[in-house]
């Protein structure tokens, strides 16, 4: 009896108390939390386990996960309101999750910072740092008018950073086979849209395609991808070629004929076509250079005159707006006024007698006003570096899809820069195109990141070819036999 009592005394009190504490904690959580915490906190708690599960699935299938951003940008019509006049769509949420998983895997699991060595990376890294600095300086307040709400400023920062992250993610994580699938998926979805719209099948268009995914860069990059594969991919069957011709015909009909007044649609698209044609028949163009260049210059001058004359009021008001923008930029031309802030300062200088808020409708002025000339320099630096990368690879890259993709991206870069002159299509302004505009611009950033994939592959092949070749086993055995 005494021995049993001694055994009971040896049992730690924690072994008895711990189950009681767990039971009491569960009962408290089930009774108190549902009635005293806000609904959004409860929703957040309930979504932790599904988010972990989804995150693991995305991480294990990173190629498919990155590819899914493209159809989410074009198809899904669900958006989450932010209270700032714009909304956050599902592709942005998925992209943020993928970037978070990539960073978690790199810094926590592997504990190794691995980044593709490319000349195109540094400009965007500096651009991102300049955006953060502009956001911090923008909190100072430059005028007597209030600056933009914090939510709008954070939205502006998000647009810049997420665009760069889309480029980084594809360049560092996507494999060539998934890049090819992503391109053809973009062509198929874009082809279905333009074909249905050409036939005025509005039920299909409005039901399945998001209206914010039809911005200027959609037409430019759909033309770039279709035209590049059609002109430079010699491995395509005739059925695919016919399909690409149909898609390009629908694009030309919808932009040039059916919607000529929307210059942001057809001007970048025609610039892309001109670049592709120039790449394809550059020898012929150089041979008749003295004839083609004057004709092209006269045609461009005539087109500019027609564009200005058909929309003279819009042109003049934009000149007035750009003059006001410059008056604001002069207060801090190097680091800018901060993301989204200039929109709240424009009433200081009335435009045609009206003290109203407006945006510049010009990507380059938007960049300078928000991030200063440092941001603008990084913007041009990035495109110049990326174009140079593609130009140097054009004679080394493999035939078929890779070569066609390279020329598509080079033409897309030109179309993107042209679209920058017509609106904030590349880095959407939060008070104009907004976060929803990323549905149009994110695929463009992802396709530009795909060019770095082939740069990485060619560099690895060159490094492997320069490694010393080990002597064959037969030679080694012969050398040993000879007393070497």
């Amino acid at each position: 009896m005494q021995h049993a009592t001694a055994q009971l005394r040896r049992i730690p009190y924690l072994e008895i108390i711990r189950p009681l504490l767990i039971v009491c904690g569960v009962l408290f959580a089930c009774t108190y939390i549902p009635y005293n915490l806000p609904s959004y906190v409860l929703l957040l708690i309930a979504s932790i386990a599904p988010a972990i599960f989804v995150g693991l699935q995305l991480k294990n299938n990173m190629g498919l996960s990155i590819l899914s951003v493209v159809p989410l940008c074009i198809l899904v019509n669900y958006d989450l309101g932010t209270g700032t006049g714009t909304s956050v769509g599902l592709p942005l949420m998925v992209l943020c999750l993928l970037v978070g998983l990539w960073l978690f895997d790199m810094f926590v699991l592997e504990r190794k910072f691995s980044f593709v060595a490319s000349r195109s990376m540094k400009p965007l890294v500096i651009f991102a740092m300049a955006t953060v600095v502009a956001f911090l300086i923008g909190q100072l307040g430059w005028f007597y008018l209030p600056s933009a709400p914090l939510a709008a400023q954070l939205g502006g920062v998000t647009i810049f950073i997420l665009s760069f992250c889309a480029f980084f993610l594809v360049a560092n994580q996507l494999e060539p086979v998934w890049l090819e699938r992503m391109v053809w998926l973009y062509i198929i979805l874009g082809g279905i849209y333009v074909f249905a719209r050409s036939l005025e099948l509005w039920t299909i268009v409005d039901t399945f395609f998001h209206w914010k995914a039809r911005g200027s860069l959609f037409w430019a990059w759909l033309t770039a991808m279709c035209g590049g594969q059609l002109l430079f991919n010699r491995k395509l069957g005739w059925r695919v070629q016919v399909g690409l011709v149909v898609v390009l015909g629908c694009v030309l009909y919808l932009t040039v004929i059916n919607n000529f007044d929307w210059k942001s649609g057809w001007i970048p698209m025609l610039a892309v076509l001109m670049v592709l044609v120039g790449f394809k028949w550059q020898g012929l163009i150089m041979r008749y250079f003295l004839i083609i260049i004057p004709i092209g210059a006269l045609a461009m001058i005539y087109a500019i005159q027609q564009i200005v004359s058909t929309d003279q009021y819009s042109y003049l008001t934009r000149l007035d707006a750009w003059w006001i923008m410059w008056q604001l930029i002069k207060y801090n031309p190097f680091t800018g006024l901060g993301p989204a802030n200039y929109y709240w300062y424009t009433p200081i200088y009335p435009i045609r007698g009206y003290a109203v808020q407006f945006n510049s409708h010009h990507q380059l002025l938007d960049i300078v006003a928000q991030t200063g000339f440092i941001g603008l320099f990084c913007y041009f630096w990035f495109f110049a570096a990326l174009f140079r990368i593609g130009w140097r690879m054009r004679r080394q890259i493999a035939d078929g899809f890779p070569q066609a993709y390279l020329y598509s991206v080079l033409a897309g870069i030109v179309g993107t820069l042209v679209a920058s002159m017509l609106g904030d299509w590349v880095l959407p302004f939060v008070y104009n195109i907004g976060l929803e505009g990323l549905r149009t611009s994110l695929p463009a950033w992802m396709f530009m990141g795909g060019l770095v994939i082939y740069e990485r592959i060619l560099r690895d092949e060159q490094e492997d070819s320069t490694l010393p070749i080990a002597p064959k086993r037969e030679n080694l055995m012969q050398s040993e036999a000879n007393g070497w």
Side-chain angles (χ1 to χ4, degrees):
M1 188 70 176
Q2 293 179 354
H3 180 72
T5 304
Q7 290 291 334
L8 289 173
R9 289 176 179 175
R10 292 177 185 174
I11 299 176
Y13 287 106
L14 288 177
E15 296 295 333
I16 302 174
I17 297 175
R18 187 180 298 154
L20 294 176
L21 292 176
I22 293 175
V23 172
C24 293
V26 172
L27 291 175
F28 174 78
C30 294
T31 56
Y32 177 81
I33 291 179
Y35 296 100
N36 293 275
L37 290 181
S39 58
Y40 65 89
V41 176
L42 296 176
L43 182 62
L44 179 63
I45 295 174
S47 62
I48 291 177
I52 294 175
F53 175 77
V54 172
L56 291 175
Q57 296 301 315
L58 293 176
K59 180 181 178 299
N60 294 331
N61 302 277
M62 185 59 77
L64 180 61
S65 303
I66 297 175
L67 180 143
S68 67
V69 176
V70 170
L72 289 177
C73 287
I74 298 175
L75 295 178
V76 180
N77 278 289
Y78 173 76
D79 290 311
L80 181 65
T82 61
T84 61
T86 186
S87 59
V88 177
L90 191 58
L92 275 68
M93 302 178 192
V94 173
L95 180 62
C96 290
L97 181 58
L98 292 177
V99 173
L101 290 173
W102 174 40
L103 296 178
F104 178 81
D105 183 65
M106 186 165 50
F107 289 105
V108 178
L109 299 182
E110 296 183 359
R111 297 183 181 181
K112 179 183 178 181
F113 181 79
S114 57
F115 220 60
V116 175
S118 175
R119 294 178 180 269
S120 60
M121 297 292 177
K122 186 183 295 185
L124 291 186
V125 173
I126 299 176
F127 201 170
M129 295 171 61
T131 303
V132 175
V133 171
F135 168 74
L136 296 176
I137 294 179
Q139 307 307 311
L140 300 176
W142 294 93
F143 303 97
Y144 61 88
L145 292 178
S147 58
L150 184 60
Q153 296 185 50
L154 292 175
V157 174
T158 301
I159 289 172
F160 281 80
I161 301 300
L162 269 187
S163 300
F164 305 156
C165 285
F167 178 87
F168 292 146
L169 187 66
V170 171
N172 288 272
Q173 291 291 296
L174 200 62
E175 296 299 326
V177 61
W178 286 105
L179 177 65
E180 185 172 353
R181 293 170 182 173
M182 184 171 68
V183 169
W184 286 112
L185 180 61
Y186 187 77
I187 291 174
I188 291 171
L189 293 177
I192 294 173
Y193 168 74
V194 298
F195 186 73
R197 186 169 167 183
S198 299
L199 299 179
E200 298 186 358
L201 301 176
W202 296 108
T203 303
I204 297 177
V205 171
D206 296 333
T207 303
F208 297 102
F209 296 93
H210 198 283
W211 68 281
K212 276 290 187 177
R214 316 165 194 174
S216 176
L217 293 186
F218 168 76
W219 304 97
W221 280 91
L222 181 60
T223 303
M225 291 301 156
C226 292
Q229 295 299 322
L230 182 64
L231 294 177
F232 297 98
N233 192 346
R234 301 175 183 176
K235 299 181 180 180
L236 296 179
W238 67 270
R239 293 181 180 85
V240 178
Q241 293 178 353
V242 170
L244 294 175
V245 170
V246 171
V247 173
L248 286 175
C250 292
V251 170
L252 288 170
Y253 167 73
L254 292 173
T255 54
V256 179
I257 299 175
N258 194 40
N259 200 12
F260 183 79
D261 292 336
W262 188 46
K263 300 172 182 61
S264 294
W266 64 268
I267 293 180
M269 183 271 300
L270 285 184
V272 168
L273 280 180
M274 291 173 61
V275 173
L276 289 175
V277 171
F279 284 146
K280 180 64 176 179
W281 291 286
Q282 54 183 325
L284 184 64
I285 293 175
M286 293 302 296
R287 182 180 303 175
Y288 299 101
F289 179 81
L290 297 177
I291 300 176
I292 294 176
I293 294 301
I295 295 176
L298 292 175
M300 185 174 297
I301 294 173
Y302 175 78
I304 293 174
Q305 290 177 346
Q306 292 298 314
I307 291 171
V308 174
S309 62
T310 55
D311 202 0
Q312 190 172 6
Y313 178 78
S314 176
Y315 172 73
L316 294 176
T317 53
R318 290 197 180 202
L319 288 180
D320 294 339
W322 296 344
W323 180 86
I324 293 174
M325 290 291 299
W326 175 244
Q327 303 305 313
L328 297 174
I329 290 170
K330 288 193 300 184
Y331 284 90
N332 189 21
F334 296 105
T335 59
L337 304 175
N341 278 339
Y342 83 81
Y343 182 82
W344 289 75
Y345 300 149
T346 51
I348 296 176
Y349 297 93
I351 180 170
R352 301 208 165 194
Y354 297 96
V356 294
Q357 296 173 335
F358 61 86
N359 59 284
S360 67
H361 291 285
H362 196 287
Q363 185 71 82
L364 305 183
L365 283 175
D366 266 7
I367 292 174
V368 177
Q370 295 181 89
T371 62
F373 281 102
I374 296 177
L376 184 65
F377 173 76
C378 293
Y379 184 78
F380 283 118
W381 181 13
F382 164 73
F383 283 108
L386 191 65
F387 193 92
R388 182 185 178 189
I389 290 170
W391 186 257
R392 296 178 65 179
M393 290 194 304
R394 73 190 191 281
R395 301 190 186 280
Q396 304 171 356
I397 201 166
D399 292 336
F401 176 84
Q403 187 181 58
Y405 180 81
L406 182 145
Y407 284 112
S408 296
V409 174
L410 292 180
I413 290 173
V414 176
T416 300
L417 290 174
V418 173
S420 300
M421 306 296 294
L422 303 171
D424 49 309
W425 300 107
V426 188
L427 295 167
F429 186 56
V430 69
Y431 282 112
N432 187 29
I433 301 176
L435 286 168
E436 297 168 334
L438 289 174
R439 290 180 174 272
T440 304
S441 60
L442 280 182
W445 286 98
M446 295 172 71
F447 289 141
M448 288 188 288
L451 193 62
V452 183
I453 297 176
Y454 290 109
E455 180 193 14
R456 181 185 67 199
I457 294 174
L458 289 176
R459 183 184 295 113
D460 292 341
E461 292 177 352
Q462 292 174 357
E463 291 177 355
D464 292 340
S465 63
T466 57
L467 292 176
I469 301 175
K472 293 183 180 180
R473 183 173 179 83
E474 293 80 1
N475 296 336
L476 287 174
M477 294 175 65
Q478 185 66 28
S479 300
E480 292 175 358
N482 296 331
W484 176 62

